[in-house]
PDB file of all heavy atoms in Angstrom:
ATOM      1  N   GLU A 915     -19.782  16.421   5.842  1.00  0.00           N
ATOM      2  CA  GLU A 915     -20.989  16.959   6.462  1.00  0.00           C
ATOM      3  C   GLU A 915     -21.639  18.033   5.609  1.00  0.00           C
ATOM      4  O   GLU A 915     -22.828  17.965   5.316  1.00  0.00           O
ATOM      5  CB  GLU A 915     -20.675  17.503   7.859  1.00  0.00           C
ATOM      6  CG  GLU A 915     -21.894  17.931   8.626  1.00  0.00           C
ATOM      7  CD  GLU A 915     -21.509  18.375  10.030  1.00  0.00           C
ATOM      8  OE1 GLU A 915     -20.473  17.940  10.538  1.00  0.00           O
ATOM      9  OE2 GLU A 915     -22.314  19.142  10.604  1.00  0.00           O
ATOM     10  N   PRO A 916     -20.884  19.077   5.166  1.00  0.00           N
ATOM     11  CA  PRO A 916     -21.499  20.026   4.188  1.00  0.00           C
ATOM     12  C   PRO A 916     -21.441  19.381   2.789  1.00  0.00           C
ATOM     13  O   PRO A 916     -20.696  18.451   2.540  1.00  0.00           O
ATOM     14  CB  PRO A 916     -20.574  21.234   4.258  1.00  0.00           C
ATOM     15  CG  PRO A 916     -19.605  20.976   5.367  1.00  0.00           C
ATOM     16  CD  PRO A 916     -19.566  19.491   5.543  1.00  0.00           C
ATOM     17  N   ASP A 917     -22.250  19.908   1.919  1.00  0.00           N
ATOM     18  CA  ASP A 917     -22.300  19.375   0.546  1.00  0.00           C
ATOM     19  C   ASP A 917     -21.393  20.242  -0.337  1.00  0.00           C
ATOM     20  O   ASP A 917     -21.844  21.168  -0.991  1.00  0.00           O
ATOM     21  CB  ASP A 917     -23.744  19.413   0.038  1.00  0.00           C
ATOM     22  CG  ASP A 917     -23.879  18.788  -1.339  1.00  0.00           C
ATOM     23  OD1 ASP A 917     -22.986  17.998  -1.708  1.00  0.00           O
ATOM     24  OD2 ASP A 917     -24.858  19.073  -2.029  1.00  0.00           O
ATOM     25  N   PHE A 918     -20.110  19.928  -0.367  1.00  0.00           N
ATOM     26  CA  PHE A 918     -19.175  20.686  -1.167  1.00  0.00           C
ATOM     27  C   PHE A 918     -19.303  20.282  -2.648  1.00  0.00           C
ATOM     28  O   PHE A 918     -19.416  19.105  -2.973  1.00  0.00           O
ATOM     29  CB  PHE A 918     -17.726  20.438  -0.720  1.00  0.00           C
ATOM     30  CG  PHE A 918     -17.391  21.051   0.605  1.00  0.00           C
ATOM     31  CD1 PHE A 918     -17.198  20.276   1.733  1.00  0.00           C
ATOM     32  CD2 PHE A 918     -17.257  22.439   0.729  1.00  0.00           C
ATOM     33  CE1 PHE A 918     -16.899  20.830   2.965  1.00  0.00           C
ATOM     34  CE2 PHE A 918     -16.962  23.010   1.960  1.00  0.00           C
ATOM     35  CZ  PHE A 918     -16.765  22.203   3.082  1.00  0.00           C
ATOM     36  N   GLN A 919     -19.243  21.308  -3.508  1.00  0.00           N
ATOM     37  CA  GLN A 919     -19.211  21.052  -4.952  1.00  0.00           C
ATOM     38  C   GLN A 919     -17.808  21.181  -5.546  1.00  0.00           C
ATOM     39  O   GLN A 919     -17.575  20.745  -6.655  1.00  0.00           O
ATOM     40  CB  GLN A 919     -20.154  22.003  -5.673  1.00  0.00           C
ATOM     41  CG  GLN A 919     -21.631  21.756  -5.438  1.00  0.00           C
ATOM     42  CD  GLN A 919     -22.093  22.366  -4.141  1.00  0.00           C
ATOM     43  OE1 GLN A 919     -21.807  23.530  -3.841  1.00  0.00           O
ATOM     44  NE2 GLN A 919     -22.816  21.593  -3.364  1.00  0.00           N
ATOM     45  N   LEU A 920     -16.912  21.808  -4.792  1.00  0.00           N
ATOM     46  CA  LEU A 920     -15.588  22.101  -5.327  1.00  0.00           C
ATOM     47  C   LEU A 920     -14.541  21.937  -4.243  1.00  0.00           C
ATOM     48  O   LEU A 920     -14.747  22.367  -3.112  1.00  0.00           O
ATOM     49  CB  LEU A 920     -15.564  23.552  -5.863  1.00  0.00           C
ATOM     50  CG  LEU A 920     -14.207  24.159  -6.184  1.00  0.00           C
ATOM     51  CD1 LEU A 920     -13.579  23.463  -7.408  1.00  0.00           C
ATOM     52  CD2 LEU A 920     -14.333  25.677  -6.454  1.00  0.00           C
ATOM     53  N   CYS A 921     -13.404  21.338  -4.617  1.00  0.00           N
ATOM     54  CA  CYS A 921     -12.231  21.279  -3.735  1.00  0.00           C
ATOM     55  C   CYS A 921     -10.990  21.699  -4.524  1.00  0.00           C
ATOM     56  O   CYS A 921     -10.728  21.173  -5.597  1.00  0.00           O
ATOM     57  CB  CYS A 921     -12.031  19.869  -3.176  1.00  0.00           C
ATOM     58  SG  CYS A 921     -10.512  19.711  -2.171  1.00  0.00           S
ATOM     59  N   ILE A 922     -10.289  22.689  -4.004  1.00  0.00           N
ATOM     60  CA  ILE A 922      -9.012  23.076  -4.546  1.00  0.00           C
ATOM     61  C   ILE A 922      -7.947  22.596  -3.566  1.00  0.00           C
ATOM     62  O   ILE A 922      -7.886  23.078  -2.422  1.00  0.00           O
ATOM     63  CB  ILE A 922      -8.932  24.580  -4.810  1.00  0.00           C
ATOM     64  CG1 ILE A 922      -9.987  24.983  -5.847  1.00  0.00           C
ATOM     65  CG2 ILE A 922      -7.524  25.000  -5.235  1.00  0.00           C
ATOM     66  CD1 ILE A 922      -9.996  26.477  -6.195  1.00  0.00           C
ATOM     67  N   ASN A 923      -7.146  21.658  -3.978  1.00  0.00           N
ATOM     68  CA  ASN A 923      -6.229  20.963  -3.102  1.00  0.00           C
ATOM     69  C   ASN A 923      -4.783  21.282  -3.404  1.00  0.00           C
ATOM     70  O   ASN A 923      -4.266  21.000  -4.486  1.00  0.00           O
ATOM     71  CB  ASN A 923      -6.468  19.419  -3.283  1.00  0.00           C
ATOM     72  CG  ASN A 923      -5.465  18.637  -2.467  1.00  0.00           C
ATOM     73  OD1 ASN A 923      -4.980  19.072  -1.425  1.00  0.00           O
ATOM     74  ND2 ASN A 923      -5.134  17.441  -2.950  1.00  0.00           N
ATOM     75  N   ARG A 924      -4.102  21.893  -2.424  1.00  0.00           N
ATOM     76  CA  ARG A 924      -2.669  22.157  -2.556  1.00  0.00           C
ATOM     77  C   ARG A 924      -1.836  21.191  -1.722  1.00  0.00           C
ATOM     78  O   ARG A 924      -0.619  21.339  -1.603  1.00  0.00           O
ATOM     79  CB  ARG A 924      -2.357  23.597  -2.144  1.00  0.00           C
ATOM     80  CG  ARG A 924      -2.986  24.653  -3.048  1.00  0.00           C
ATOM     81  CD  ARG A 924      -2.478  24.639  -4.463  1.00  0.00           C
ATOM     82  NE  ARG A 924      -1.063  24.894  -4.553  1.00  0.00           N
ATOM     83  CZ  ARG A 924      -0.529  26.108  -4.802  1.00  0.00           C
ATOM     84  NH1 ARG A 924      -1.313  27.136  -4.925  1.00  0.00           N
ATOM     85  NH2 ARG A 924       0.790  26.253  -4.886  1.00  0.00           N
ATOM     86  N   ALA A 925      -2.482  20.216  -1.106  1.00  0.00           N
ATOM     87  CA  ALA A 925      -1.752  19.184  -0.340  1.00  0.00           C
ATOM     88  C   ALA A 925      -1.420  18.029  -1.268  1.00  0.00           C
ATOM     89  O   ALA A 925      -1.973  17.898  -2.349  1.00  0.00           O
ATOM     90  CB  ALA A 925      -2.593  18.719   0.826  1.00  0.00           C
ATOM     91  N   GLY A 926      -0.482  17.194  -0.837  1.00  0.00           N
ATOM     92  CA  GLY A 926      -0.105  16.041  -1.634  1.00  0.00           C
ATOM     93  C   GLY A 926       0.043  14.811  -0.802  1.00  0.00           C
ATOM     94  O   GLY A 926       0.142  14.889   0.441  1.00  0.00           O
ATOM     95  N   GLY A 927       0.070  13.642  -1.436  1.00  0.00           N
ATOM     96  CA  GLY A 927       0.255  12.388  -0.719  1.00  0.00           C
ATOM     97  C   GLY A 927      -0.922  11.452  -0.872  1.00  0.00           C
ATOM     98  O   GLY A 927      -2.030  11.846  -1.205  1.00  0.00           O
ATOM     99  N   ARG A 928      -0.638  10.197  -0.624  1.00  0.00           N
ATOM    100  CA  ARG A 928      -1.618   9.148  -0.811  1.00  0.00           C
ATOM    101  C   ARG A 928      -2.825   9.298   0.109  1.00  0.00           C
ATOM    102  O   ARG A 928      -3.963   9.046  -0.264  1.00  0.00           O
ATOM    103  CB  ARG A 928      -0.978   7.778  -0.597  1.00  0.00           C
ATOM    104  CG  ARG A 928      -1.885   6.601  -0.845  1.00  0.00           C
ATOM    105  CD  ARG A 928      -1.140   5.292  -0.793  1.00  0.00           C
ATOM    106  NE  ARG A 928      -2.038   4.148  -1.001  1.00  0.00           N
ATOM    107  CZ  ARG A 928      -2.444   3.752  -2.190  1.00  0.00           C
ATOM    108  NH1 ARG A 928      -2.058   4.406  -3.277  1.00  0.00           N
ATOM    109  NH2 ARG A 928      -3.271   2.726  -2.308  1.00  0.00           N
ATOM    110  N   GLN A 929      -2.552   9.759   1.352  1.00  0.00           N
ATOM    111  CA  GLN A 929      -3.678   9.837   2.310  1.00  0.00           C
ATOM    112  C   GLN A 929      -4.689  10.899   1.904  1.00  0.00           C
ATOM    113  O   GLN A 929      -5.896  10.656   1.990  1.00  0.00           O
ATOM    114  CB  GLN A 929      -3.126  10.140   3.697  1.00  0.00           C
ATOM    115  CG  GLN A 929      -2.352   8.960   4.329  1.00  0.00           C
ATOM    116  CD  GLN A 929      -1.802   9.276   5.683  1.00  0.00           C
ATOM    117  OE1 GLN A 929      -1.269  10.367   5.884  1.00  0.00           O
ATOM    118  NE2 GLN A 929      -1.913   8.383   6.619  1.00  0.00           N
ATOM    119  N   VAL A 930      -4.241  12.036   1.448  1.00  0.00           N
ATOM    120  CA  VAL A 930      -5.191  13.059   1.015  1.00  0.00           C
ATOM    121  C   VAL A 930      -5.941  12.594  -0.229  1.00  0.00           C
ATOM    122  O   VAL A 930      -7.140  12.884  -0.379  1.00  0.00           O
ATOM    123  CB  VAL A 930      -4.493  14.426   0.801  1.00  0.00           C
ATOM    124  CG1 VAL A 930      -3.587  14.411  -0.409  1.00  0.00           C
ATOM    125  CG2 VAL A 930      -5.555  15.538   0.660  1.00  0.00           C
ATOM    126  N   ASP A 931      -5.259  11.890  -1.129  1.00  0.00           N
ATOM    127  CA  ASP A 931      -5.922  11.368  -2.300  1.00  0.00           C
ATOM    128  C   ASP A 931      -6.999  10.351  -1.941  1.00  0.00           C
ATOM    129  O   ASP A 931      -8.102  10.344  -2.514  1.00  0.00           O
ATOM    130  CB  ASP A 931      -4.902  10.738  -3.259  1.00  0.00           C
ATOM    131  CG  ASP A 931      -4.236  11.769  -4.147  1.00  0.00           C
ATOM    132  OD1 ASP A 931      -4.897  12.687  -4.585  1.00  0.00           O
ATOM    133  OD2 ASP A 931      -3.014  11.638  -4.395  1.00  0.00           O
ATOM    134  N   LEU A 932      -6.686   9.444  -0.995  1.00  0.00           N
ATOM    135  CA  LEU A 932      -7.671   8.480  -0.545  1.00  0.00           C
ATOM    136  C   LEU A 932      -8.882   9.170   0.060  1.00  0.00           C
ATOM    137  O   LEU A 932     -10.043   8.826  -0.221  1.00  0.00           O
ATOM    138  CB  LEU A 932      -7.057   7.522   0.467  1.00  0.00           C
ATOM    139  CG  LEU A 932      -6.107   6.448  -0.098  1.00  0.00           C
ATOM    140  CD1 LEU A 932      -5.385   5.737   1.051  1.00  0.00           C
ATOM    141  CD2 LEU A 932      -6.855   5.454  -0.960  1.00  0.00           C
ATOM    142  N   MET A 933      -8.613  10.191   0.880  1.00  0.00           N
ATOM    143  CA  MET A 933      -9.705  10.895   1.525  1.00  0.00           C
ATOM    144  C   MET A 933     -10.612  11.557   0.490  1.00  0.00           C
ATOM    145  O   MET A 933     -11.858  11.442   0.527  1.00  0.00           O
ATOM    146  CB  MET A 933      -9.170  11.932   2.481  1.00  0.00           C
ATOM    147  CG  MET A 933     -10.244  12.715   3.214  1.00  0.00           C
ATOM    148  SD  MET A 933      -9.643  14.255   3.947  1.00  0.00           S
ATOM    149  CE  MET A 933      -9.324  15.241   2.501  1.00  0.00           C
ATOM    150  N   LEU A 934     -10.002  12.280  -0.450  1.00  0.00           N
ATOM    151  CA  LEU A 934     -10.814  13.014  -1.435  1.00  0.00           C
ATOM    152  C   LEU A 934     -11.521  12.050  -2.379  1.00  0.00           C
ATOM    153  O   LEU A 934     -12.642  12.355  -2.841  1.00  0.00           O
ATOM    154  CB  LEU A 934      -9.912  13.972  -2.227  1.00  0.00           C
ATOM    155  CG  LEU A 934      -9.427  15.193  -1.429  1.00  0.00           C
ATOM    156  CD1 LEU A 934      -8.464  16.020  -2.283  1.00  0.00           C
ATOM    157  CD2 LEU A 934     -10.586  16.043  -0.965  1.00  0.00           C
ATOM    158  N   SER A 935     -10.917  10.900  -2.664  1.00  0.00           N
ATOM    159  CA  SER A 935     -11.566   9.912  -3.534  1.00  0.00           C
ATOM    160  C   SER A 935     -12.822   9.369  -2.882  1.00  0.00           C
ATOM    161  O   SER A 935     -13.790   9.008  -3.570  1.00  0.00           O
ATOM    162  CB  SER A 935     -10.613   8.766  -3.821  1.00  0.00           C
ATOM    163  OG  SER A 935      -9.520   9.220  -4.599  1.00  0.00           O
ATOM    164  N   MET A 936     -12.837   9.314  -1.566  1.00  0.00           N
ATOM    165  CA  MET A 936     -14.009   8.792  -0.861  1.00  0.00           C
ATOM    166  C   MET A 936     -15.016   9.891  -0.527  1.00  0.00           C
ATOM    167  O   MET A 936     -16.090   9.611  -0.019  1.00  0.00           O
ATOM    168  CB  MET A 936     -13.571   8.113   0.461  1.00  0.00           C
ATOM    169  CG  MET A 936     -12.831   6.793   0.213  1.00  0.00           C
ATOM    170  SD  MET A 936     -12.474   5.925   1.736  1.00  0.00           S
ATOM    171  CE  MET A 936     -11.231   6.984   2.465  1.00  0.00           C
ATOM    172  N   SER A 937     -14.663  11.127  -0.843  1.00  0.00           N
ATOM    173  CA  SER A 937     -15.606  12.226  -0.625  1.00  0.00           C
ATOM    174  C   SER A 937     -16.616  12.252  -1.756  1.00  0.00           C
ATOM    175  O   SER A 937     -16.495  11.552  -2.752  1.00  0.00           O
ATOM    176  CB  SER A 937     -14.849  13.564  -0.543  1.00  0.00           C
ATOM    177  OG  SER A 937     -14.445  13.957  -1.858  1.00  0.00           O
ATOM    178  N   HIS A 938     -17.630  13.093  -1.571  1.00  0.00           N
ATOM    179  CA  HIS A 938     -18.657  13.234  -2.611  1.00  0.00           C
ATOM    180  C   HIS A 938     -18.460  14.512  -3.420  1.00  0.00           C
ATOM    181  O   HIS A 938     -19.372  14.975  -4.079  1.00  0.00           O
ATOM    182  CB  HIS A 938     -20.030  13.216  -1.970  1.00  0.00           C
ATOM    183  CG  HIS A 938     -20.333  11.966  -1.230  1.00  0.00           C
ATOM    184  ND1 HIS A 938     -20.984  11.945  -0.022  1.00  0.00           N
ATOM    185  CD2 HIS A 938     -20.050  10.683  -1.537  1.00  0.00           C
ATOM    186  CE1 HIS A 938     -21.099  10.713   0.405  1.00  0.00           C
ATOM    187  NE2 HIS A 938     -20.559   9.918  -0.499  1.00  0.00           N
ATOM    188  N   ILE A 939     -17.244  15.094  -3.359  1.00  0.00           N
ATOM    189  CA  ILE A 939     -17.002  16.367  -4.042  1.00  0.00           C
ATOM    190  C   ILE A 939     -16.777  16.095  -5.543  1.00  0.00           C
ATOM    191  O   ILE A 939     -15.856  15.408  -5.914  1.00  0.00           O
ATOM    192  CB  ILE A 939     -15.778  17.063  -3.453  1.00  0.00           C
ATOM    193  CG1 ILE A 939     -15.985  17.259  -1.943  1.00  0.00           C
ATOM    194  CG2 ILE A 939     -15.546  18.421  -4.112  1.00  0.00           C
ATOM    195  CD1 ILE A 939     -14.748  17.782  -1.218  1.00  0.00           C
ATOM    196  N   PRO A 940     -17.624  16.623  -6.411  1.00  0.00           N
ATOM    197  CA  PRO A 940     -17.531  16.289  -7.835  1.00  0.00           C
ATOM    198  C   PRO A 940     -16.355  16.915  -8.558  1.00  0.00           C
ATOM    199  O   PRO A 940     -15.795  16.346  -9.485  1.00  0.00           O
ATOM    200  CB  PRO A 940     -18.845  16.805  -8.415  1.00  0.00           C
ATOM    201  CG  PRO A 940     -19.300  17.867  -7.463  1.00  0.00           C
ATOM    202  CD  PRO A 940     -18.812  17.455  -6.118  1.00  0.00           C
ATOM    203  N   SER A 941     -15.942  18.125  -8.148  1.00  0.00           N
ATOM    204  CA  SER A 941     -14.875  18.837  -8.826  1.00  0.00           C
ATOM    205  C   SER A 941     -13.676  18.979  -7.888  1.00  0.00           C
ATOM    206  O   SER A 941     -13.789  19.666  -6.852  1.00  0.00           O
ATOM    207  CB  SER A 941     -15.328  20.222  -9.304  1.00  0.00           C
ATOM    208  OG  SER A 941     -14.284  20.899  -9.971  1.00  0.00           O
ATOM    209  N   ARG A 942     -12.568  18.302  -8.216  1.00  0.00           N
ATOM    210  CA  ARG A 942     -11.398  18.304  -7.348  1.00  0.00           C
ATOM    211  C   ARG A 942     -10.168  18.706  -8.164  1.00  0.00           C
ATOM    212  O   ARG A 942      -9.711  17.957  -9.042  1.00  0.00           O
ATOM    213  CB  ARG A 942     -11.196  16.910  -6.708  1.00  0.00           C
ATOM    214  CG  ARG A 942     -12.423  16.447  -5.954  1.00  0.00           C
ATOM    215  CD  ARG A 942     -12.199  15.111  -5.241  1.00  0.00           C
ATOM    216  NE  ARG A 942     -11.935  14.018  -6.158  1.00  0.00           N
ATOM    217  CZ  ARG A 942     -12.867  13.219  -6.673  1.00  0.00           C
ATOM    218  NH1 ARG A 942     -14.149  13.410  -6.404  1.00  0.00           N
ATOM    219  NH2 ARG A 942     -12.514  12.222  -7.484  1.00  0.00           N
ATOM    220  N   ILE A 943      -9.633  19.887  -7.868  1.00  0.00           N
ATOM    221  CA  ILE A 943      -8.572  20.472  -8.689  1.00  0.00           C
ATOM    222  C   ILE A 943      -7.264  20.386  -7.905  1.00  0.00           C
ATOM    223  O   ILE A 943      -7.170  20.797  -6.733  1.00  0.00           O
ATOM    224  CB  ILE A 943      -8.883  21.925  -9.048  1.00  0.00           C
ATOM    225  CG1 ILE A 943     -10.219  21.982  -9.792  1.00  0.00           C
ATOM    226  CG2 ILE A 943      -7.765  22.526  -9.898  1.00  0.00           C
ATOM    227  CD1 ILE A 943     -10.722  23.419  -9.996  1.00  0.00           C
ATOM    228  N   ALA A 944      -6.204  19.869  -8.540  1.00  0.00           N
ATOM    229  CA  ALA A 944      -4.887  19.755  -7.912  1.00  0.00           C
ATOM    230  C   ALA A 944      -3.831  19.692  -8.995  1.00  0.00           C
ATOM    231  O   ALA A 944      -4.136  19.562 -10.186  1.00  0.00           O
ATOM    232  CB  ALA A 944      -4.821  18.507  -7.029  1.00  0.00           C
ATOM    233  N   SER A 945      -2.572  19.814  -8.569  1.00  0.00           N
ATOM    234  CA  SER A 945      -1.469  19.734  -9.526  1.00  0.00           C
ATOM    235  C   SER A 945      -1.031  18.276  -9.755  1.00  0.00           C
ATOM    236  O   SER A 945      -0.209  18.004 -10.624  1.00  0.00           O
ATOM    237  CB  SER A 945      -0.271  20.562  -9.064  1.00  0.00           C
ATOM    238  OG  SER A 945       0.198  20.081  -7.815  1.00  0.00           O
TER     239      SER A 945
END
Side-chain angles (χ1 to χ4, degrees):
E915 185 176 339
D917 185 20
F918 289 109
Q919 290 82 47
L920 167 68
C921 175
I922 297 180
N923 174 30
R924 295 296 298 265
R928 183 173 179 80
Q929 289 179 318
V930 69
D931 276 321
L932 285 171
M933 181 198 69
L934 289 176
S935 295
M936 290 186 290
S937 74
H938 300 138
I939 304 173
S941 180
R942 304 184 297 269
I943 302 170
S945 61

